[in-house]
Amino acid sequence: MRFLCLLLVVLFLVLQGVTGQPFILRPLNHCTLQNGRCFPGTCPHSYYWIDLCHNRYSCCKRYVEVQESLWY
């Protein structure tokens, strides 16, 4: 009987550490790592093409407007 209680405690401790982990690990999305988004076809007007996504979509990144500084 003690063996069953000990086994139950060990099983509980092992499963306790796994609760925060996802069961299926997704591969890294290289487009998201480059701050881009995946679009089917070509990139929209305010985006420019970076790379291809994993599903053969276009990885696009938004244009950033740079304001000139008035400091001389």
Side-chain angles (χ1 to χ4, degrees):
M1 191 67 175
R2 284 186 180 178
F3 179 73
L4 288 177
C5 290
L6 182 64
L7 183 64
L8 183 63
V9 169
V10 169
L11 183 64
F12 176 76
L13 289 175
V14 168
L15 293 178
Q16 183 72 20
V18 181
T19 56
Q21 301 295 326
F23 288 105
I24 300 172
L25 296 175
R26 295 186 307 177
L28 290 176
N29 188 349
H30 295 289
C31 188
T32 307
L33 291 175
Q34 297 176 17
N35 294 330
R37 292 181 56 194
C38 296
F39 290 101
T42 59
C43 298
H45 175 66
S46 60
Y47 289 83
Y48 64 95
W49 186 83
I50 300 174
D51 202 2
L52 288 176
C53 295
H54 66 280
N55 53 1
R56 307 297 290 170
Y57 283 4
S58 296
C59 179
C60 305
K61 189 172 182 178
R62 185 181 291 268
Y63 284 114
V64 177
E65 293 184 22
V66 179
Q67 296 179 357
E68 291 186 25
S69 174
L70 296 177
W71 299 95
Y72 291 105

